[in-house]
Amino acid sequence: MTRRMMVTVGLALALGTPALAGEVSPERVASEHDPIEGFNRKIFWFNDKVDVYVLEPVAKGWDFVAPRRVQTSVANFFGNLRFPINTLNDALQLKPVDAGKDVARFAVNTTVGVLGFFDPAAGWGLPAREQDFGQTLAHWRVPSGPYLVLPLLGPSNPRDAAGLGADYAFSVVPFFVDALYLWGGRVLQTVNDRSLILQEIRDAKAGSLDYYVAVRNAYVQHRRNLVQGRTPEAYEELYYPHLEEK
């Protein structure tokens, strides 16, 4: 399970699926967005096995040795590195005010927040938010296409999948950081993100009659809300969780 799937499950299921489900029934979401369900289920099964046998055990180990405050600081640090992605996508969506806030948030957290490990900007009226090229394409009326599960990358659709390459280029980091350190950082980020929602994932699996359907519908509804600007308040709590120390 990758960060995309973790975000979907942790946010939409554990932090408020009922609130997101009001507009579109699960049956309608399924019929409109999953014409290749058989293929998707096979990839989903593979991704879930990788999570169960590789990612979750490592995340449990990290959760055991790292206090929650450390995990939160690591999440803050990697979130701060998304600054160019957020800013460029806001600019491409013709949102100059939001782009300016992205710059201000990055400046505050990189300086006062000690390279982004802390998040003073949130208390200064600059809360965490995240933009991606999939949202930018949606802004310019590019259709999402059918629901699609990507190997290791998790829930997506053709529009969001196409946006991954653009966001990779926008991040700038790959052009200045050695690949060894880059991949090491991404592994740490993924493990850390997973450790923050260990219980939420367990609860989501235990409370779902069909975990695949739960994740699919949560993803479709969550992305629809992001594109339409109706982001739930819990969104920032997942990326920058202000949680009590263990």
Side-chain angles (χ1 to χ4, degrees):
M1 180 183 292
T2 62
R3 189 168 189 266
R4 181 180 293 267
M5 181 181 288
M6 290 186 285
V7 168
T8 300
V9 176
L11 172 64
L13 289 179
L15 300 179
T17 300
L20 295 177
E23 294 183 42
V24 184
S25 69
E27 293 78 14
R28 183 179 176 187
V29 169
S31 63
E32 287 182 349
H33 290 272
D34 198 4
I36 53 172
E37 181 176 342
F39 169 81
N40 283 334
R41 280 187 178 273
K42 291 181 174 63
I43 303 301
F44 184 87
W45 177 88
F46 170 77
N47 289 347
D48 188 54
K49 294 306 178 185
V50 172
D51 177 63
V52 170
Y53 293 110
V54 180
L55 183 54
E56 184 180 7
V58 177
K60 285 181 177 178
W62 175 243
D63 185 61
F64 180 77
V65 301
R68 187 53 57 99
R69 181 174 297 178
V70 172
Q71 296 177 33
T72 300
S73 293
V74 171
N76 288 339
F77 173 79
F78 285 110
N80 197 50
L81 292 180
R82 282 191 58 89
F83 151 70
I85 300 175
N86 293 337
T87 304
L88 287 171
N89 278 298
D90 273 329
L92 290 172
Q93 293 173 41
L94 306 181
K95 299 176 181 177
V97 174
D98 287 338
K101 290 181 179 179
D102 294 333
V103 174
R105 177 178 169 79
F106 177 77
V108 170
N109 283 351
T110 302
T111 54
V112 181
V114 190
L115 299 180
F117 284 103
F118 301 96
D119 187 15
W124 296 3
L126 298 168
R129 52 190 303 280
E130 188 162 321
Q131 292 290 314
D132 57 58
F133 197 67
Q135 291 168 255
T136 297
L137 291 174
H139 174 84
W140 294 105
R141 301 293 189 266
V142 176
S144 64
Y147 179 69
L148 177 66
V149 181
L150 301 175
L152 299 180
L153 297 178
S156 189
N157 56 54
R159 182 180 65 201
D160 289 348
L164 294 175
D167 288 336
Y168 181 83
F170 289 171
S171 69
V172 180
V173 175
F175 301 106
F176 297 97
V177 178
D178 184 87
L180 178 63
Y181 298 108
L182 182 65
W183 285 106
R186 288 184 175 173
V187 169
L188 174 60
Q189 180 185 16
T190 301
V191 170
N192 187 74
D193 286 339
R194 184 64 171 89
S195 70
L196 285 168
I197 53 173
L198 284 167
Q199 187 59 50
E200 287 82 356
I201 297 295
R202 285 194 291 266
D203 292 344
K205 288 185 175 182
S208 303
L209 294 177
D210 188 331
Y211 186 48
Y212 169 84
V213 171
V215 172
R216 176 189 63 196
N217 292 346
Y219 178 80
V220 171
Q221 293 172 56
H222 174 53
R223 291 298 294 179
R224 181 172 295 176
N225 277 271
L226 284 181
V227 167
Q228 296 177 353
R230 295 194 299 271
T231 308
E233 292 180 359
Y235 182 66
E236 67 181 65
E237 295 177 8
L238 181 62
Y239 286 105
Y240 298 88
H242 303 290
L243 303 175
E244 296 181 359
E245 184 179 6
K246 289 180 180 178

